[in-house]
Amino acid sequence: QVQLVESGGGSVQAGGSLRLSCTASEYSDSTYCMAWFRQAPGKEREGVASIDSSGGTDYADSVKGRFTISSDNAKNTLYLQMNSLKPEDTAMYYCAADPAVCYLGAGEFFRSWGQGTQVTVSS
């Protein structure tokens, strides 16, 4: 397991943009799948976006066309660029990593998680 730390959350108005970062403060294997999940109060955790070791990406339907996941291996950092934010994007966003799993519907199998960063989008 690796230690992950998210940053970049905050409060923005609808239609605005925000960029989240997730840094592996310790060693992160280059073969890891990296992903973003989010959870709002009273709602189930939702897989937002993932990027595998080959650079392949996947997105939840709710964020396609608005969010972009990317990584900088040299900096051991994962990013989530969020554009055209909506109030329904309000949630705690978590970075996750796993050496094998890379499926947004299988969050329970991801072995490493960050502490989360809050994103609040106002109307």
Side-chain angles (χ1 to χ4, degrees):
Q1 298 181 0
V2 298
Q3 292 187 336
L4 307 171
V5 179
E6 302 97 333
S7 63
S11 181
V12 299
Q13 293 185 331
S17 298
L18 208 59
R19 191 188 197 193
L20 305 183
S21 298
C22 170
T23 299
S25 57
E26 297 182 3
Y27 173 77
S28 179
D29 195 284
S30 62
T31 64
Y32 271 55
C33 172
M34 303 292 292
W36 290 97
F37 293 82
R38 67 186 182 186
Q39 187 167 27
K43 300 186 68 176
E44 295 182 355
R45 182 176 59 195
E46 176 188 23
V48 177
S50 67
I51 183 166
D52 63 28
S53 60
S54 298
T57 59
D58 191 25
Y59 297 91
D61 289 341
S62 59
V63 307
K64 286 181 178 177
R66 300 188 298 119
F67 291 10
T68 302
I69 187 171
S70 62
S71 63
D72 185 335
N73 292 333
K75 297 180 179 180
N76 291 323
T77 302
L78 178 74
Y79 302 98
L80 184 67
Q81 179 66 47
M82 305 184 293
N83 298 325
S84 301
L85 283 162
K86 304 175 181 180
E88 50 262 47
D89 294 319
T90 296
M92 184 72 75
Y93 283 71
Y94 298 92
C95 174
D98 195 85
V101 176
C102 205
Y103 175 56
L104 291 176
E108 65 268 32
F109 296 106
F110 279 74
R111 307 177 202 186
S112 300
W113 293 84
Q115 84 290 344
T117 185
Q118 180 68 40
V119 172
T120 301
V121 184
S122 60
S123 300

